[in-house]
Amino acid sequence: MSPQEQRHPGTVPGSTPGTAPGDGTLAVRAGLPDPVKHEPTLPGPVFAAHFHLPGDPTGPYTYGRDENPTWTHLERALGTLEAPGESGVETVVFASGMAAVSAVLLSQLSAGDAVVLPTDGYQALPLLHEQLRAYGVEVRTAPTGGDAQLAVIDGAKLLWIETPSNPGLDVCDIRRTVAEAHAAGALVAVDNTLATPLGQRPLELGADFSVASDTKGMTGHGDVLLGHVACRDPRRAAEVRRWRKIVGAIPGPMEAWLAHRSLATLQLRIDRQCATALELARVLAGHPDVTGLRHPGLPDDPSHAVAARQMRRFGSVVSFELADRARAERFLEELRLVDDATSFGGVRSSAERRGRWGGDAVAEGFIRFSVGAEDPEDLIADVLRALDAARKAG
């Protein structure tokens, strides 16, 4: 193994094992190899289906479905962000967030097991409900808010938490939920997509798995589909990695390289987006056309007390309701600085009437608004103008 492959996943160049630099330093330096004269600081993507492999098939790189040097750098970077200063975290990258979600559920569960999933989680989770039941797994569901999932945890093999939930932005107490789930004999996986590791670190709060769609805030430019799973238990990590190999849900080297490059601006992006999201939420809180406003950073939000205990940043997503479907669609049409798109966490603000997809228990006028990196005053002015225009249009 080369010197570039030896660094512990939780450290960055120049840092001392067991200590953690600031978020900006972590984001900029995470996963970079040790400097070598005349070599780039971040090596370019390695495009290879196979590698020279004389003799016994040993070593880190044997075949392109198993490992790739570009993945190695990215996985090390993500592990550093998930658990700064720790050396025992393993990270596995996937071709998408749903590939990462599926890998945890389908590698850890088998016929006769029970799993607890949120009723208000990501819209594609019900597709997994169907598949899990087909495999003989008992699927139990409960909402995120109020730690309601704990009421159905007895006898379950795995508890799946999504906090803040998407799109309703409810929050559960990760530390308490993990403690009670572990006492009941269940593993805990946390979908951390909305918060990102800069918002909260599930592994530090006791979770067994931290899972994310890196398509969203982690890469932040709306041009990469990617996901990852991080955990401390090497046996669990091996099971997840084996599932990736079996189904071939591997990221392309170009996507992995783009993701690693994008991490350098993570702290800059997240800080700007979270600050603007809170400012927008405060403005919307006093608007007569807005009801059902949710953002964990608002002091009067139902989830604020729990979020403030476990989150370091409150996220870039704001949700609210307008009077009906027609009013919501007129609002979206009037926006000039916001894309009508279904993702979130990007540098360009986006919003959508979430009910158009079906599958989410939301009102017809429900808006999920993802705040980007535009100037706050420009974005807020655009939102207020669009609300006014939608009202005047009837």
Side-chain angles (χ1 to χ4, degrees):
M1 184 175 290
S2 70
Q4 287 90 338
E5 305 304 317
Q6 292 175 0
R7 182 181 302 118
H8 293 307
T11 63
V12 298
S15 69
T16 302
T19 65
D23 288 341
T25 303
L26 285 172
V28 169
R29 307 298 305 182
L32 299 182
D34 292 328
V36 176
K37 188 174 182 178
H38 305 308
E39 293 293 324
T41 55
L42 176 61
V46 175
F47 299 99
H50 59 268
F51 303 85
H52 289 296
L53 194 65
D56 293 335
T58 60
Y61 306 111
T62 58
Y63 186 64
R65 189 179 66 250
D66 299 326
E67 295 291 347
N68 178 288
T70 310
W71 304 352
T72 300
H73 294 305
L74 175 60
E75 288 175 342
R76 183 174 294 119
L78 292 169
T80 296
L81 293 167
E82 288 279 4
E86 295 191 30
S87 60
V89 172
E90 295 193 34
T91 305
V92 187
V93 292
F94 288 86
S96 69
M98 276 305 294
V101 170
S102 300
V104 173
L105 291 169
L106 297 174
S107 71
Q108 300 303 306
L109 298 168
S110 56
D113 290 336
V115 62
V116 179
L117 297 166
T119 55
D120 52 345
Y122 180 51
Q123 180 208 36
L125 276 179
L127 300 176
L128 276 170
H129 295 187
E130 298 172 15
Q131 194 62 56
L132 289 167
R133 290 188 178 109
Y135 288 157
V137 175
E138 178 190 351
V139 177
R140 307 171 187 171
T141 60
T144 298
D147 301 330
Q149 290 173 290
L150 290 176
V152 292
I153 195 65
D154 285 349
K157 172 75 176 296
L158 176 68
L159 167 63
W160 187 273
I161 300 170
E162 184 176 312
T163 180
S165 62
N166 169 33
L169 303 183
D170 267 325
V171 172
C172 68
D173 186 328
I174 296 176
R175 193 182 298 278
R176 172 175 175 258
T177 302
V178 167
E180 295 200 23
H182 283 173
L187 297 166
V188 180
V190 178
D191 185 333
N192 200 40
T193 299
L194 199 144
T196 81
L198 267 60
Q200 68 190 8
R201 295 192 171 115
L203 298 183
E204 292 183 354
L205 296 169
D208 299 287
F209 302 93
S210 180
V211 188
S213 169
D214 300 317
T215 308
K216 313 298 194 300
M218 290 295 281
T219 56
H221 290 78
D223 54 8
V224 172
L225 287 172
L226 206 78
H228 81 268
V229 177
C231 59
R232 288 194 180 94
D233 187 331
R235 180 168 63 91
R236 301 293 180 192
E239 291 166 350
V240 170
R241 191 172 286 108
R242 179 175 179 270
W243 183 261
R244 180 180 69 181
K245 177 177 180 175
I246 291 171
V247 300
I250 60 173
M254 191 66 194
E255 286 78 8
W257 183 86
L258 284 169
H260 197 168
R261 180 209 60 174
S262 297
L263 290 180
T265 60
L266 179 63
Q267 183 258 339
L268 298 172
R269 291 186 280 107
I270 294 296
D271 276 356
R272 174 63 169 260
Q273 291 169 252
C274 290
T276 305
L278 184 54
E279 189 173 345
L280 174 63
R282 287 169 177 155
V283 170
L284 292 177
H287 198 283
D289 295 342
V290 171
T291 60
L293 177 69
R294 295 300 303 271
H295 181 71
L298 291 172
D300 58 350
D301 187 272
S303 293
H304 179 73
V306 175
R309 290 198 300 267
Q310 69 189 22
M311 298 186 74
R312 301 163 65 240
R313 295 167 175 84
F314 293 113
S316 61
V317 177
V318 179
S319 68
F320 56 93
E321 294 177 19
L322 298 179
D324 51 31
R325 173 175 178 166
R327 177 72 65 87
E329 290 179 347
R330 286 195 296 270
F331 166 69
L332 294 170
E333 290 170 1
E334 291 291 340
L335 291 167
R336 297 293 176 263
L337 299 179
V338 182
D339 297 329
D340 191 340
T342 192
S343 196
F344 62 85
V347 291
R348 288 173 289 277
S349 291
S350 62
E352 70 170 334
R353 191 184 68 80
R354 191 65 189 165
R356 65 181 175 173
W357 297 99
D360 290 316
V362 296
E364 285 293 299
F366 181 95
I367 299 290
R368 184 182 69 184
F369 196 107
S370 172
V371 173
E374 297 89 357
D375 286 303
E377 56 271 23
D378 293 335
L379 182 64
I380 291 171
D382 188 44
V383 170
L384 293 176
R385 182 197 53 77
L387 286 170
D388 184 58
R391 186 193 319 113
K392 290 178 179 177

